[in-house]
Amino acid sequence: MGIKQEAARLNTRMRQENPLVHNITNYVTVNDCANALLAIGASPIMADDTLEAADITSISSALVINIGTLNQRTVESMVLAGKKANELGIPVVLDPVGAGASDLRNKTTGKILEQVKITILRGNLSEVSYVAGLSVSTKGVDTSDKDNNKDARLVALAAAKKLCCIVAVTGAIDVITDGERVVKVSNGHPLLSKVTGTGCMTSAITGGYAGTKEDAFTAAAAGILSMGIAGEIAFEKAGALGAGSFHMALIDALSNLNEETIEEMGKIEEE
Amino acid sequence: MGIKQEAARLNTRMRQENPLVHNITNYVTVNDCANALLAIGASPIMADDTLEAADITSISSALVINIGTLNQRTVESMVLAGKKANELGIPVVLDPVGAGASDLRNKTTGKILEQVKITILRGNLSEVSYVAGLSVSTKGVDTSDKDNNKDARLVALAAAKKLCCIVAVTGAIDVITDGERVVKVSNGHPLLSKVTGTGCMTSAITGGYAGTKEDAFTAAAAGILSMGIAGEIAFEKAGALGAGSFHMALIDALSNLNEETIEEMGKIEEE
Amino acid sequence: MGIKQEAARLNTRMRQENPLVHNITNYVTVNDCANALLAIGASPIMADDTLEAADITSISSALVINIGTLNQRTVESMVLAGKKANELGIPVVLDPVGAGASDLRNKTTGKILEQVKITILRGNLSEVSYVAGLSVSTKGVDTSDKDNNKDARLVALAAAKKLCCIVAVTGAIDVITDGERVVKVSNGHPLLSKVTGTGCMTSAITGGYAGTKEDAFTAAAAGILSMGIAGEIAFEKAGALGAGSFHMALIDALSNLNEETIEEMGKIEEE
């Protein structure tokens, strides 16, 4: 069975298991992350106080850490929750939103990577480049790949080897690798970069797939495929109407997504 | 006049009076809570700093406390605002989101109940069970009643007697009681549990109805009926399209809701 | 070229330049602000920790400060970011949400105005009245001009002279002035006051226009015109359906807005 079939089956499995996903995330896109998780068959819980972060992780099936609007209080919670997840064998997805844009984001990413073993790192080219220690320029947190002169494949491979985790670099072509194996996903639509939070949602639902405790590589592929396919369906339904309708149609598409659609529409290739 | 007629009339009255409702609530669903309040005819204000919480309560007609993403800073604000509300005779709605899921949520719920006289407690079966001191298991904050083997009626009655307040346990069948009188609402739709924040919105609009200073039992019934009926209308309009369209149609339905629709569609029975 | 043509051209220019706009804003409407900025052609970034606020401002083209859900931590960040913006000649938009409603909001507004040179102040009549030192009553943060017995023109002029900045008072008729020049915009629709955050979004997109470094008066006019016209288009498309559909159609309209539509539909008059 190929990676596409495995990813497709994971969708069915997630809808049966409804894994609880603990999100320590930003307040800009948190509502969309919760709704994306519900749409795809998982259960979201958000909790970011140091006094409960580890407790909530310990009853969850996956942890998603997103530094989109981090502050000193929540950074501490991210580390506490991440350590608890490592202790209990719960997968951890890290979305280093805006890494490279400020000293605080850089130090926080460093601090998390130092103290927490990440299972899946998901970011855009500029963010993952930074994390992998390559030079990088940042322009906002909703950038699409204007500068795709950099090779997402090389950056993903370097980051995966350095951090010993699955890395997913999303863009026009998404690259997923564990440092050896490389798959590329060419689903998606440019309009996805005109709605805030589509990256955050991708990380959140990747957490949902990882919460099934299936192989993390497959979980990452399933998360990336799901958002890309949902973007294509949403564009077809509502792309001509505008960004608000497209946003709504994206959640519709996630809620209607199933194994068959992923098998039919998925464009994923293994090297 | 029966409870349904009283609740229906309260909708008209709220739309005339536009009560200001102070919400100390979570950042996941806060936008929906504000829009639900506006849709139903009330005016929302959100303020959670200890330096202004009591000030804002004192110019409001109702206070809604929601512990969905509580932190140490906002817990203090909840208590300060709650005490001010008690002092001024302003009704207080408590939504103990995720009670039972962590020590912090449990202690916070305990602290609020100790220091603030609650007017209406609204939660799902697992949350209210915890608050009433019955054994309970928590799975996320968007659970529907998978384990409705527990009797919502018994839990609601026990909580109402213990806390001397109106208790609304929402689920497939909603139960509202003051410890003596019991009404059951059978409006609603399972899709409501696939959009985050429908519980939070129910608590918020219940605060709006309570802000009219009408009898709190009627206010609770009006809040529960309004969301249940809006869920049914939204399902009819957009249920087949997906969770995003349903979410939007829910706000549409709340904004179009009126006395006549509540009288026509309300399924509420007094024991 | 008149103010309408200048404002219309600014829309095209913003869509070409995609200015990065740093928002320190409230958690109620932050998602809409980000999506409105993306829809109109700008790039949003939200960051409110004292350790990164100034850093993020320094890579941005504009700063938007919104006190909708301020707290002691973010107030400090607003001042740090504002000072950095002043130092680097980056325009600053202030939205004094709920000014007048609490001592904290009043003191915060005072503190910001004392330490930061504001480029554009945008608020409703009650908020700007307070800032201008005129007597005022507050009812929530989503009020429309129920008491338009006060003259928005006089209030705007007084505030502009006092604060030496562009002032935009939005309501049924919007007034924009620098203390000398006065323009009035009569676009918009009453339904805009039934969706939370339309004021916040207006401030955010005004920040986007200001980020082009065009004349700030034109930027303010472009921001106010854009939201007013989008409100009219959204009403025509979805006003009959309800507040949820109208909200979505508003983002659609912002994303479809262009120079031609602004020239065609703009109702702006210079005194």
Side-chain angles (χ1 to χ4, degrees), chain A residues 94-107:
Chain A
L94 174 64
D95 188 334
V97 182
S102 77
D103 208 46
L104 177 64
R105 292 186 194 224
N106 300 350
K107 282 188 179 150

Side-chain angles (χ1 to χ4, degrees), chain A residues 2 6-7 33 39 63 79-80 85 90 98 110 118 134 138 142 169 177 181 184 201 242 247 255:
Chain A
E6 282 167 1
C33 288
L63 170 66
V79 171
L80 289 169
I90 293 166
I118 298 303
L134 307 172
T138 299
D142 294 293
V169 175
T177 182
R181 201 178 160 192
K184 291 188 180 173
M201 286 189 255
H247 184 179
S255 72

Side-chain angles (χ1 to χ4, degrees), chain A residues 106-170:
Chain A
N106 300 350
K107 282 188 179 150
T108 298
T109 309
K111 192 177 175 184
I112 293 170
L113 291 172
E114 225 176 80
Q115 301 191 51
V116 179
K117 175 83 190 69
I118 298 303
T119 314
I120 302 170
L121 174 75
R122 201 231 41 99
N124 63 30
L125 183 54
S126 129
E127 292 156 353
V128 178
S129 295
Y130 173 80
V131 173
L134 307 172
S135 68
V136 56
S137 71
T138 299
K139 184 177 166 109
V141 294
D142 294 293
T143 18
S144 61
D145 345 58
K146 285 183 184 164
D147 49 327
N148 51 10
N149 47 330
K150 271 185 207 164
D151 192 346
R153 187 183 173 279
L154 289 181
V155 166
L157 275 167
K161 280 173 188 159
K162 190 174 172 189
L163 305 171
C164 302
C165 70
I166 312 295
V167 171
V169 175
T170 53

Side-chain angles (χ1 to χ4, degrees), chain B residues 15 17-20 23-27 30-31 34-35 38-39 41-52 55-56 59 73 237 248-249 251-253 255-256, chain C residues 27-30 32 67-73 98 101-105 138-143 146 193-197 238 240-248:
Chain B
R15 291 193 184 277
E17 296 181 8
N18 309 130
L20 182 61
N23 299 268
I24 302 182
T25 190
N26 70 74
Y27 57 82
V30 60
N31 184 262
N35 278 323
L38 284 168
S43 290
I45 190 162
M46 278 63 181
D48 66 18
D49 196 80
T50 52
L51 291 184
E52 73 168 353
D55 281 3
I56 298 295
I59 59 165
R73 181 177 65 78
K237 285 266 170 65
M248 185 192 67
I251 302 290
D252 280 348
S255 72
N256 294 323
Chain C
Y27 57 83
V28 185
T29 67
V30 60
D32 283 326
I67 68 165
T69 55
L70 83 175
N71 62 59
Q72 298 165 61
R73 181 177 64 77
S102 78
D103 208 45
L104 178 64
R105 293 186 193 224
T138 300
K139 185 179 168 108
V141 293
D142 294 293
T143 18
K146 285 183 183 162
S193 67
K194 299 301 279 180
V195 172
T196 195
L241 299 171
S245 295
F246 175 77
H247 183 179
M248 186 193 67

Side-chain angles (χ1 to χ4, degrees), chain A residues 17-20 25-27 30-31 34-35 38-39 41 43-52 55-56 59 73 248 251-252 255-256, chain B residues 27-29 32 68-72 101-105 138-142 146 193-196 240-248:
Chain A
E17 296 181 8
N18 310 129
L20 183 61
T25 190
N26 71 72
Y27 59 81
V30 60
N31 184 261
N35 278 324
L38 284 168
S43 290
I45 189 161
M46 278 65 181
D48 67 18
D49 196 79
T50 52
L51 291 184
E52 73 167 353
D55 281 3
I56 297 296
I59 59 166
R73 181 177 65 79
M248 185 192 67
I251 301 290
D252 281 348
S255 72
N256 294 324
Chain B
Y27 57 82
V28 185
T29 66
D32 283 327
T69 55
L70 83 174
N71 62 58
Q72 298 166 60
S102 78
D103 209 45
L104 178 64
R105 292 186 194 225
T138 299
K139 184 177 168 111
V141 293
D142 294 293
K146 283 182 184 164
S193 67
K194 300 301 278 180
V195 173
T196 196
L241 300 172
S245 295
F246 176 77
H247 183 178
M248 185 192 67

Side-chain angles (χ1 to χ4, degrees), chain A residues 191 194-195 237-249, chain B residues 248, chain C residues 15 32 35-36 38-40 201 226-227 229-231 233-235 237-238 244-258 261:
Chain A
L191 257 185
K194 300 300 280 181
V195 172
K237 285 266 169 66
L241 300 172
S245 295
F246 175 77
H247 184 179
M248 185 192 67
Chain B
M248 185 192 67
Chain C
R15 291 193 183 277
D32 283 326
N35 278 324
L38 284 168
I40 206 91
M201 285 188 256
S226 296
M227 183 54 73
I229 293 170
I233 295 172
F235 174 73
K237 285 267 170 65
S245 295
F246 175 77
H247 183 179
M248 186 193 67
L250 190 64
I251 302 290
D252 280 348
L254 287 173
S255 71
N256 294 324
L257 198 66
N258 59 26
T261 308

